[in-house]
Amino acid sequence: MILPTVDDIRALHEKYAPTREAFDLVYTHCEIVWKVAEQLLAADGHRLDSDLVRAGALLHDIGVYRLYDDGGRLRAGDYIRHGVLGHTLLCQEGFPERLCRFCSCHTGVGLTRHDVERQKLPLPVADYVAETVEEQLVMYADKFHTKATPSAFVSFDTYAAHVVRFGTEKVDAFHALRARFGEPDLATLSARYGHPLA
């Protein structure tokens, strides 16, 4: 599989971002997720496809741009759909399914068809679960940064406290990801990007 370069991915973000502010918010977050994943990859020498992880991290939230209205405002009520919207966008751009899945399979610690039905989510009923280790790493790295206003880094404990409202099995899944990948050095990234640590 031929993967897009960082420049290719940045150009794709620029193509779909409705405003400069939207680009700065989403692309910076995707870049941070890559930096988190990069740290975790380096920590113990995981034998993963680092180029695929980089591309997946940089593209995972591209569907967010499809949630902006004509006035440049984010439709937050539809946010749960950004993953499937990104998957569709990348498919339309001709990317392989292996790359498109980073969009649809990174929400929370995975959405099952049971989650979709039980929570009455506005998504096609299906499993949106990271399957490959590369997908799992990007999904996990994504939990350590939020695009909320203001953007911030999120500690392991803060995210674990947040995800418990969706069931103890989600907390267990998050702990299993930490056991697999470890924890990133968020203080260094917080200083680099100027985003606080929550």
Side-chain angles (χ1 to χ4, degrees):
M1 174 173 58
I2 299 173
L3 293 169
T5 67
V6 172
D7 289 342
D8 294 336
I9 294 170
R10 183 182 178 94
L12 200 61
H13 276 267
E14 289 171 340
K15 174 180 175 180
Y16 286 101
T19 65
R20 182 64 196 193
E21 293 76 20
F23 171 83
D24 289 342
L25 179 70
V26 175
Y27 188 78
T28 300
H29 167 74
C30 289
E31 182 181 75
I32 287 169
V33 170
W34 161 235
K35 294 302 179 189
V36 171
E38 190 176 40
Q39 272 191 19
L40 297 171
L41 277 170
D44 69 352
H46 292 293
R47 294 185 148 211
L48 303 182
D49 184 337
S50 60
D51 291 335
L52 180 60
V53 170
R54 183 198 71 235
L58 290 175
L59 286 167
H60 79 281
D61 260 357
I62 200 159
V64 172
Y65 298 131
R66 293 279 169 98
L67 294 174
Y68 282 85
D69 65 21
D70 292 339
R73 293 176 301 273
L74 185 65
R75 296 187 314 273
D78 288 335
Y79 192 78
I80 193 72
R81 297 181 61 236
H82 77 282
V84 295
L85 293 171
H87 189 123
T88 299
L89 185 155
L90 292 186
C91 283
Q92 290 169 345
E93 286 285 336
F95 288 105
E97 179 69 8
R98 189 170 177 208
L99 191 53
C100 299
R101 285 182 48 81
F102 283 95
C103 294
S104 55
C105 298
H106 77 273
T107 302
V109 290
L111 292 173
T112 64
R113 73 176 42 247
H114 176 70
D115 295 327
V116 174
E117 292 173 331
R118 181 173 51 86
Q119 298 175 43
K120 297 181 175 44
L121 299 176
L123 298 170
V125 176
D127 289 320
Y128 304 97
V129 178
E131 294 175 354
T132 68
V133 183
E134 287 85 358
E135 290 171 1
Q136 292 167 2
L137 176 56
V138 170
M139 176 185 70
Y140 179 60
D142 180 52
K143 306 295 94 73
F144 292 99
H145 186 261
T146 177
K147 297 182 298 298
T149 304
S151 294
F153 287 91
V154 179
S155 72
F156 181 90
D157 291 338
T158 298
Y159 187 81
H162 162 77
V163 79
V164 73
R165 66 186 173 144
F166 300 109
T168 56
E169 71 278 5
K170 301 297 185 183
V171 178
D172 293 343
F174 191 51
H175 279 271
L177 289 165
R178 178 172 64 178
R180 173 70 175 89
F181 298 113
E183 285 187 52
D185 174 6
L186 298 179
T188 300
L189 291 170
S190 176
R192 176 177 175 182
Y193 285 93
H195 298 174
L197 178 56

